[in-house]
Amino acid sequence: MDDSLAHIKQFHGHLGPYAVIGYRMGLLANKHLGDDPFAKHAVAMTGITTPISCIVDGIQLASGCTLGKGNIAVHGDGEAAARFTGDDGGSLHLTLRPAIREEIDTQVTDDNIEAYAADIYQRSDEELFIIHTNDA
Protein backbone atom coordinates (compact mmCIF):
# COMPACT_ATOMS: atom_id res chain seq x y z
CA MET A 1 0.00 0.00 0.00
CA ASP A 2 1.23 3.49 -0.90
CA ASP A 3 2.56 5.41 2.14
CA SER A 4 -0.08 8.13 1.76
CA LEU A 5 -2.88 5.57 1.65
CA ALA A 6 -1.46 3.85 4.74
CA HIS A 7 -1.33 7.22 6.49
CA ILE A 8 -4.97 7.95 5.59
CA LYS A 9 -5.99 4.51 6.84
CA GLN A 10 -4.13 4.97 10.11
CA PHE A 11 -5.56 8.45 10.73
CA HIS A 12 -9.13 7.76 9.63
CA GLY A 13 -9.44 4.18 10.88
CA HIS A 14 -10.04 2.60 7.49
CA LEU A 15 -9.32 3.40 3.87
CA GLY A 16 -12.44 4.78 2.22
CA PRO A 17 -13.00 6.81 -0.92
CA TYR A 18 -14.35 9.93 0.79
CA ALA A 19 -11.35 10.18 3.13
CA VAL A 20 -9.16 9.87 0.02
CA ILE A 21 -11.21 12.58 -1.73
CA GLY A 22 -10.63 14.89 1.24
CA TYR A 23 -6.93 14.07 1.25
CA ARG A 24 -6.69 14.95 -2.44
CA MET A 25 -8.56 18.22 -1.73
CA GLY A 26 -6.01 19.04 0.95
CA LEU A 27 -3.12 18.30 -1.39
CA LEU A 28 -4.61 20.66 -3.98
CA ALA A 29 -5.01 23.34 -1.32
CA ASN A 30 -1.33 22.99 -0.47
CA LYS A 31 -0.38 23.21 -4.13
CA HIS A 32 -2.41 26.38 -4.73
CA LEU A 33 -2.12 28.15 -1.38
CA GLY A 34 1.12 26.79 0.07
CA ASP A 35 1.76 24.06 2.59
CA ASP A 36 1.95 26.23 5.73
CA PRO A 37 -0.95 24.89 7.83
CA PHE A 38 -1.16 28.20 9.71
CA ALA A 39 -1.55 30.31 6.53
CA LYS A 40 -4.81 28.91 5.21
CA HIS A 41 -8.34 28.07 6.29
CA ALA A 42 -10.78 25.45 5.08
CA VAL A 43 -14.54 25.12 5.06
CA ALA A 44 -15.92 21.67 4.29
CA MET A 45 -19.52 21.72 3.02
CA THR A 46 -20.06 18.08 3.96
CA GLY A 47 -21.97 18.42 7.19
CA ILE A 48 -21.28 15.80 9.84
CA THR A 49 -23.08 12.74 8.46
CA THR A 50 -20.99 9.81 7.26
CA PRO A 51 -19.80 8.73 4.81
CA ILE A 52 -19.56 12.13 3.09
CA SER A 53 -18.17 13.76 6.24
CA CYS A 54 -15.13 11.47 5.96
CA ILE A 55 -13.87 14.11 3.51
CA VAL A 56 -13.12 16.28 6.57
CA ASP A 57 -10.55 13.81 7.94
CA GLY A 58 -8.73 13.72 4.62
CA ILE A 59 -8.69 17.51 4.40
CA GLN A 60 -7.25 17.80 7.91
CA LEU A 61 -4.57 15.19 7.27
CA ALA A 62 -3.31 16.63 3.98
CA SER A 63 -3.79 20.38 4.41
CA GLY A 64 -2.96 20.76 8.08
CA CYS A 65 -6.16 22.76 8.57
CA THR A 66 -7.48 21.14 11.73
CA LEU A 67 -10.29 21.46 14.20
CA GLY A 68 -7.75 21.81 17.00
CA LYS A 69 -6.13 24.85 15.36
CA GLY A 70 -9.53 26.24 14.50
CA ASN A 71 -8.69 26.77 10.84
CA ILE A 72 -11.26 24.36 9.47
CA ALA A 73 -15.02 24.57 9.78
CA VAL A 74 -17.69 22.09 8.76
CA HIS A 75 -20.92 23.49 7.33
CA GLY A 76 -23.62 22.32 5.01
CA ASP A 77 -25.45 19.07 4.70
CA GLY A 78 -23.90 16.51 2.45
CA GLU A 79 -22.18 18.48 -0.30
CA ALA A 80 -18.89 16.96 -1.46
CA ALA A 81 -17.14 20.33 -1.63
CA ALA A 82 -14.64 22.47 0.23
CA ARG A 83 -13.38 26.02 0.09
CA PHE A 84 -9.84 26.98 1.07
CA THR A 85 -8.59 30.52 1.60
CA GLY A 86 -5.03 31.64 2.04
CA ASP A 87 -3.86 34.45 4.27
CA ASP A 88 -2.57 36.10 1.08
CA GLY A 89 -6.12 36.39 -0.30
CA GLY A 90 -6.00 33.46 -2.70
CA SER A 91 -8.81 30.93 -2.67
CA LEU A 92 -9.65 27.51 -4.01
CA HIS A 93 -13.11 25.96 -4.27
CA LEU A 94 -13.30 22.24 -5.00
CA THR A 95 -16.42 20.24 -5.77
CA LEU A 96 -16.39 16.50 -6.35
CA ARG A 97 -17.69 15.82 -9.83
CA PRO A 98 -21.26 14.46 -9.63
CA ALA A 99 -20.37 11.42 -11.76
CA ILE A 100 -17.61 10.46 -9.32
CA ARG A 101 -19.92 10.81 -6.33
CA GLU A 102 -22.54 8.71 -8.09
CA GLU A 103 -19.89 6.11 -8.85
CA ILE A 104 -18.76 5.98 -5.21
CA ASP A 105 -22.28 5.86 -3.84
CA THR A 106 -23.40 3.07 -6.17
CA GLN A 107 -20.29 0.92 -6.65
CA VAL A 108 -18.44 0.84 -3.34
CA THR A 109 -19.08 -2.19 -1.14
CA ASP A 110 -17.51 -3.56 2.03
CA ASP A 111 -15.60 -6.00 -0.18
CA ASN A 112 -14.09 -3.44 -2.58
CA ILE A 113 -13.82 -0.27 -0.48
CA GLU A 114 -10.01 -0.25 -0.07
CA ALA A 115 -9.28 -1.14 -3.69
CA TYR A 116 -11.77 1.47 -4.82
CA ALA A 117 -10.22 4.12 -2.56
CA ALA A 118 -6.77 3.27 -3.97
CA ASP A 119 -8.16 3.66 -7.50
CA ILE A 120 -9.66 7.07 -6.61
CA TYR A 121 -6.28 8.15 -5.21
CA GLN A 122 -4.64 7.53 -8.61
CA ARG A 123 -7.11 9.61 -10.65
CA SER A 124 -6.26 13.09 -11.92
CA ASP A 125 -7.42 16.24 -10.15
CA GLU A 126 -9.44 17.21 -13.22
CA GLU A 127 -11.21 13.84 -13.32
CA LEU A 128 -12.19 14.13 -9.65
CA PHE A 129 -12.96 17.82 -9.12
CA ILE A 130 -14.54 20.93 -10.49
CA ILE A 131 -11.83 23.45 -9.59
CA HIS A 132 -12.26 27.20 -9.14
CA THR A 133 -9.28 29.32 -8.12
CA ASN A 134 -8.79 32.96 -7.28
CA ASP A 135 -5.12 33.89 -7.01
CA ALA A 136 -4.05 36.66 -4.71
Side-chain angles (χ1 to χ4, degrees):
M1 181 180 293
D2 177 280
D3 285 348
S4 294
L5 294 177
H7 200 161
I8 296 166
K9 183 176 182 177
Q10 178 185 17
F11 181 81
H12 184 62
H14 74 104
L15 186 62
Y18 285 120
V20 169
I21 292 295
Y23 188 82
R24 291 289 303 278
M25 287 176 163
L27 292 178
L28 269 171
N30 290 349
K31 180 179 174 183
H32 287 274
L33 301 172
D35 61 4
D36 181 349
F38 294 95
K40 62 183 168 287
H41 292 78
V43 177
M45 316 306 192
T46 61
I48 57 169
T49 303
T50 60
I52 200 73
S53 63
C54 298
I55 288 172
V56 177
D57 277 358
I59 289 172
Q60 290 184 98
L61 183 61
S63 72
C65 295
T66 64
L67 291 169
K69 281 198 295 296
N71 62 345
I72 187 171
V74 181
H75 296 295
D77 188 24
E79 187 180 350
R83 183 179 62 253
F84 299 86
T85 54
D87 288 350
D88 65 358
S91 67
L92 174 69
H93 186 93
L94 301 169
T95 303
L96 183 64
R97 291 192 178 276
I100 300 295
R101 183 168 182 178
E102 172 80 12
E103 187 181 318
I104 292 169
D105 290 347
T106 61
Q107 296 183 22
V108 173
T109 66
D110 289 342
D111 293 333
N112 73 5
I113 191 168
E114 286 200 4
Y116 196 91
D119 174 67
I120 287 285
Y121 184 76
Q122 298 300 323
R123 297 188 192 188
S124 72
D125 296 334
E126 294 75 19
E127 183 179 354
L128 295 175
F129 304 113
I130 300 166
I131 302 169
H132 293 102
T133 61
N134 178 23
D135 294 326

